[in-house]
Amino acid sequence: PPPAPLGPAPGSQELPSVGSAGHGEGRCKPCAFFHASRCENGAVCQFCHLCDAGEKQRRRKEKLEIRKASRAAYPLAGGRVARRQVGLQR
């Protein structure tokens, strides 16, 4: 007999897509099309079908806020801010 599966099968309620595997640990990427009923990949989709509808946008906003805070904390990174402060052009 074949060995028992290690986890839920893709397409099941616990694992609606292959990309949903890391959802419990926060290691998934939300499917932008699932909640709009436009995901054509179904169980073989590489993106998570368990995330809430606005999760992709929430994560994007959070990422941009972190990047913005980082730029504020390190204004000389890349020299972009330093050039503007002293009036130099590229």
Side-chain angles (χ1 to χ4, degrees):
L6 298 176
S12 66
Q13 191 172 3
E14 297 85 20
L15 189 66
S17 67
V18 174
S20 300
H23 180 79
E25 297 85 37
R27 296 183 296 115
C28 62
K29 288 181 160 186
C31 180
F33 304 102
F34 177 70
H35 290 286
S37 299
R38 296 185 309 166
C39 181
E40 298 176 356
N41 297 320
V44 295
C45 182
Q46 298 297 308
F47 298 94
C48 185
H49 289 184
L50 291 172
C51 287
D52 292 334
E55 184 66 14
K56 184 168 176 64
Q57 290 81 7
R58 187 193 69 74
R59 288 186 189 185
R60 183 182 308 136
K61 184 177 178 181
E62 182 180 302
K63 182 178 175 182
L64 290 174
E65 288 172 357
I66 291 169
R67 188 178 297 155
K68 192 179 202 180
S70 175
R71 285 184 182 154
Y74 301 102
L76 299 178
R80 285 176 251 140
V81 175
R83 282 192 209 105
R84 282 188 236 133
Q85 287 176 341
V86 294
L88 297 175
Q89 305 232 345
R90 285 187 176 196

